[in-house]
């Protein structure tokens, strides 16, 4: 998923050498995850990746729907009410997560300069 390279981050940080590459890589990952979380959308490196994700999203949602239906049927077969409620809640949570992922994918965007700059600024803050 990375849309800021180690080289771009090191240039931004004005870091030479490779001693801190692993640490900077960790900061890049954290900053990108934070940006994606705040945007509440899928962020893709290019249009091809976005198109592929959107094409796969309906199938993933169908799979989640089938898993939900199977889990609910399995929960109904349980004789213990507490276990049945827990299994039902787990199935509902998984279904809701799949719905959110579907929406985030369908609302996805291609990374732009604003997002890259925000990630680089976050990397700089974490590095400092």
């Amino acid at each position: 998923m990375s849309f800021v390279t180690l080289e771009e981050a090191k240039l931004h940080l004005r870091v030479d050498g490779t001693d801190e590459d692993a640490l900077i890589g960790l900061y890049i990952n954290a900053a990108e995850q934070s940006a994606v979380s705040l945007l509440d959308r899928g962020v893709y490196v290019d249009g091809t990746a976005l198109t592929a994700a959107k094409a796969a999203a309906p199938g993933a949602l169908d799979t989640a729907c089938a898993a939900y239906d199977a889990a609910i049927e399995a929960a109904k077969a349980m004789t213990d009410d507490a276990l049945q409620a827990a299994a039902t809640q787990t199935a509902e949570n998984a279904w809701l997560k799949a719905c959110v992922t579907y929406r985030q994918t369908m609302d996805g965007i291609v990374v732009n300069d604003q997002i890259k700059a925000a990630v680089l600024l976050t990397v700089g803050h974490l590095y400092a």
Side-chain angles (χ1 to χ4, degrees):
M1 163 178 116
S2 190
F3 40 84
V4 170
T5 67
L6 180 62
E7 292 73 27
E8 289 171 322
K10 287 171 70 172
L11 181 64
H12 175 74
L13 298 171
R14 299 177 187 204
V15 170
D16 295 323
T18 59
D19 292 347
E20 297 178 305
D21 283 3
L23 180 65
I24 295 168
L26 174 78
Y27 293 158
I28 292 168
N29 290 336
E32 288 180 349
Q33 289 170 8
S34 178
V36 169
S37 179
L38 288 169
L39 288 167
D40 195 24
R41 301 169 78 172
V43 179
Y44 300 90
V45 294
D46 56 31
T48 302
L50 175 58
T51 300
K54 283 185 174 185
L61 191 60
D62 286 343
T63 300
C65 185
Y68 171 78
D69 290 342
I72 292 299
E73 287 304 312
K76 287 179 183 176
M78 294 178 175
T79 55
D80 185 292
D81 289 344
L83 290 176
Q84 185 181 38
T88 299
Q89 186 64 53
T90 300
E92 289 172 358
N93 289 345
W95 167 247
L96 290 173
K97 183 177 179 181
C99 289
V100 168
T101 300
Y102 177 82
R103 180 195 48 79
Q104 289 172 334
T105 301
M106 298 311 281
D107 289 344
I109 57 174
V110 174
V111 69
N112 58 38
D113 289 342
Q114 288 176 316
I115 296 169
K116 280 184 117 175
V119 168
L120 288 170
L121 288 170
T122 302
V123 168
H125 173 75
L126 294 170
Y127 185 77

